[in-house]
Amino acid sequence: MSQTLPRMDVATAMLIALDDRLAGTCVTLLDDAGFRVIRVKHVAPALERLPVAMPQLVLFPATLVAAEEEMLTDRCVAIGAELLKLAPNLDARALAALIASSAHSALERPR
């Protein structure tokens, strides 16, 4: 007999176009906060994956070109995801505080 498995809602974060150093730190912090982390290297494939993965939190670099940031913002608003723009020169303590705050906000946000 075949059964459909129930879907488990897991807190998910998507990292988009972050450099390896910043992404590594984010993965560690988000994993500790209980998030499943999806990493996408470029904006175009991320835009396709967002409505499928439905992450609660999306992190991206402040260095994106305006057009990419606008498309990303529109897509995130449509799925109800919290956006977090990361400056490349954030120190570890500030990044940890920012991610902790954003993770909490993302989980509290109604979907």
Side-chain angles (χ1 to χ4, degrees), residues 16-22 41-43 59-70 72 84-90:
I16 301 172
L18 295 178
D19 67 57
D20 290 339
R21 180 196 59 82
L22 188 55
K41 295 240 181 201
H42 303 284
V43 174
L59 295 83
F60 66 97
T63 56
L64 285 185
V65 293
E68 287 180 324
E69 185 176 339
E70 186 177 333
L72 186 58
L84 181 57
K85 184 193 293 191
L86 299 175
N89 56 351
L90 268 175

Side-chain angles (χ1 to χ4, degrees), residues 15 18-30 33 57-62 84-104:
L15 311 181
L18 295 178
D19 67 57
D20 290 339
R21 180 196 59 82
L22 188 55
T25 303
C26 291
V27 167
T28 301
L29 292 167
L30 289 164
L57 181 59
V58 174
L59 295 83
F60 66 97
L84 181 57
K85 184 193 293 191
L86 299 175
N89 56 351
L90 268 175
D91 67 56
R93 183 174 290 175
L95 179 62
L98 196 55
I99 287 179
S101 174
S102 295
H104 179 72

